[in-house]
Amino acid sequence: MKRVLVTYNMFREGFAELESLYDVTFPPDGRDFVYDEVMEQIEGYDALCSAFNFPVNKELIDKAINVKIVSNYAVGYDNIDVAYARAREITVTNTPDPVINPTANLALALLLDTARRVSECDRKLRREGRKMVVGVLENLGMPVAGTTLGIIGMGRIGKALCKRAKVCGMEVVYHNRRRLDIEEETRLGAEYVSKEELLAVSDFVSLNATYTPETYHLISEAELAMMKPSAILINTGRGPLVDERALIKALRDGKIRGAGLDMFEFGDYPSPELLEMENVVLTPHIGTQTLYSRIEMAKAVCNNVIGFFEQDRPITRVL
């Protein structure tokens, strides 16, 4: 019987089929395995189910002499040394499909919240109560219908956000490392432009690109200078896509209007300066934080392992 080691202990209902087929080891209740615990026992397993915050590095891969697949609980896979895994003939998979809708919904929520100053007004009302000025010229927000959304990274999530934006009456331009075919562009109602043109014409810029060495600081001082002073930046991709120091300076100097951020450059927490800015909406990496999507992600992890060994269903290999 195949043996599967799971580094985390959550959403066990999603693992029912996997447990019916293989010998599956989970951490003790209430916690995840730490790296050293996995290193100690990985030799005896055929598959590893990792999570986005668990490093699958060269040292671990060298120790995993029997592992044939690493099934990652995330759409991103920068926690895994994919090139080295491939060199060792280990398949790496991720879970792109279950994260599409919740992440696209959050990107739209951040866009709407920042544009209409929802969180800002909520804070003011709680803080000031009846002292808050509620006049026709106060708390003016931005329109959404009739504006232009620029999407950088037109993958699954970018396309899902595009559909939502069109329903809101927005025009959509996009930039991607590969242009979509004309039929799909027409179906989505999106226009392909250079990154520079996208930054210049967009009222909202949403980052949905994969994080790679090439996309590190995709948005930095130069790019922020290209944006409209009235523009809003949305990031539900990866934190290091944005030079956070440059963003703080641009927001302080009025180079752009605001930002909605679910990801931060230096880990799970934003720079302190962002916490003090009324024109910034912050969420703590909750793009996939719904119970349904988390269980579906667990099922996707299991489907990848089962599909790899049984060859009875498609798997989502990392490209």
Side-chain angles (χ1 to χ4, degrees), residues 4 16 33 76-77 86 91 129 150 153 180 188 198 246 268 284 300 304 311:
V4 181
F33 278 133
Y77 44 85
R86 284 178 180 160
T91 293
L180 304 178
L188 290 168
L198 181 148
D268 290 334
N304 282 329
Q311 300 292 301

Side-chain angles (χ1 to χ4, degrees), residues 6 42 46 93 108 110 126 143 192-193 197 200 208 222-225 227 243 249 263 280 297-298 307 318:
V6 184
I42 192 62
D46 303 286
T93 61
L108 181 62
L110 289 171
R126 292 172 187 273
Y192 179 80
V193 295
E197 183 177 353
N208 302 98
E223 288 76 19
L224 290 162
M227 294 172 63
D243 181 341
K249 186 175 186 302
M263 299 287 202
V280 178
M297 287 172 68
V318 169

Side-chain angles (χ1 to χ4, degrees), residues 262-278:
D262 186 51
M263 299 287 202
F264 313 107
E265 181 176 2
F266 306 109
D268 290 334
Y269 301 96
S271 298
E273 295 91 335
L274 292 171
L275 297 172
E276 304 301 321
M277 294 181 172
E278 291 286 9

Side-chain angles (χ1 to χ4, degrees), residues 108 111-112 143-149 161-173 188-189 203-204:
L108 181 62
L111 186 157
L112 294 171
V144 173
T147 62
T148 298
L149 169 64
L161 176 59
C162 176
K163 293 174 183 176
R164 288 157 172 76
K166 297 298 288 187
V167 171
C168 291
M170 304 179 79
E171 298 298 321
V172 177
V173 296
L188 290 168
D203 300 293
F204 302 88

Side-chain angles (χ1 to χ4, degrees), residues 6-302:
V6 184
T7 67
Y8 47 91
N9 198 347
M10 56 185 180
F11 308 110
R12 288 283 292 272
E13 54 267 59
F15 288 86
E17 185 180 9
L18 192 73
E19 291 187 90
S20 73
L21 294 172
Y22 309 128
D23 178 7
V24 183
T25 300
F26 293 94
D29 285 343
R31 70 177 183 88
D32 298 337
F33 278 133
V34 298
Y35 179 83
D36 287 346
E37 290 175 314
V38 175
M39 283 287 283
E40 288 174 5
Q41 55 188 318
I42 192 62
E43 288 184 9
Y45 289 87
D46 303 286
L48 174 67
C49 297
S50 56
F52 54 84
N53 58 353
F54 186 89
V56 183
N57 54 20
K58 182 178 183 294
E59 292 72 26
L60 183 61
I61 292 169
D62 281 337
K63 199 76 179 293
I65 57 176
N66 294 308
V67 167
K68 299 297 185 293
I69 178 173
V70 175
S71 184
N72 207 40
Y73 184 90
V75 63
Y77 44 85
D78 45 294
N79 60 306
I80 302 171
D81 190 334
V82 175
Y84 192 68
R86 284 178 180 160
R88 293 292 305 274
E89 298 184 345
I90 296 173
T91 293
V92 178
T93 61
N94 63 347
T95 58
D97 291 339
V99 309
I100 296 170
N101 287 326
T103 306
N105 287 342
L106 180 64
L108 181 62
L110 289 171
L111 186 157
L112 294 171
D113 189 325
T114 314
R116 294 304 311 275
R117 304 172 68 177
V118 175
S119 292
E120 179 185 350
C121 288
D122 176 84
R123 289 189 296 269
K124 286 181 179 178
L125 194 56
R126 292 172 187 273
R127 184 173 61 243
E128 300 174 18
R130 291 185 176 275
K131 295 180 181 179
M132 180 178 173
V133 178
V134 185
V136 295
L137 297 179
E138 302 296 329
N139 308 307
L140 295 175
M142 277 183 65
V144 173
T147 62
T148 298
L149 169 64
I151 298 175
I152 300 181
M154 192 64 107
R156 294 176 175 91
I157 295 170
K159 292 173 187 174
L161 176 59
C162 176
K163 293 174 183 176
R164 288 157 172 76
K166 297 298 288 187
V167 171
C168 291
M170 304 179 79
E171 298 298 321
V172 177
V173 296
Y174 78 97
H175 183 74
N176 205 41
R177 57 184 174 180
R178 297 186 187 89
R179 184 174 180 175
L180 304 178
D181 61 58
I182 190 66
E183 291 80 8
E184 188 164 25
E185 279 188 1
T186 302
R187 187 165 59 251
L188 290 168
E191 178 186 357
Y192 179 80
V193 295
S194 68
K195 185 177 82 169
E196 292 74 18
E197 183 177 353
L198 181 148
L199 294 171
V201 303
S202 297
D203 300 293
F204 302 88
V205 175
S206 178
L207 304 182
N208 302 98
T210 301
Y211 177 59
T212 66
E214 291 72 32
T215 57
Y216 174 73
H217 283 186
L218 182 68
I219 300 296
S220 193
E221 185 175 3
E223 288 76 19
L224 290 162
M226 297 178 195
M227 294 172 63
K228 296 179 179 181
S230 58
I232 290 173
L233 179 69
I234 306 297
N235 186 15
T236 55
R238 283 290 181 266
L241 295 175
V242 178
D243 181 341
E244 203 159 286
R245 293 298 167 196
L247 174 61
I248 290 167
K249 186 175 186 302
L251 289 164
R252 278 180 172 167
D253 295 346
K255 299 295 185 183
I256 64 171
R257 181 185 180 96
L261 308 172
D262 186 51
M263 299 287 202
F264 313 107
E265 181 176 2
F266 306 109
D268 290 334
Y269 301 96
S271 298
E273 295 91 335
L274 292 171
L275 297 172
E276 304 301 321
M277 294 181 172
E278 291 286 9
N279 58 338
V280 178
V281 178
L282 305 167
T283 53
H285 195 172
I286 62 169
T288 59
Q289 289 282 53
T290 71
L291 179 60
Y292 175 80
S293 63
R294 288 302 194 185
I295 293 172
E296 290 302 302
M297 287 172 68
K299 290 179 180 177
V301 165
C302 298

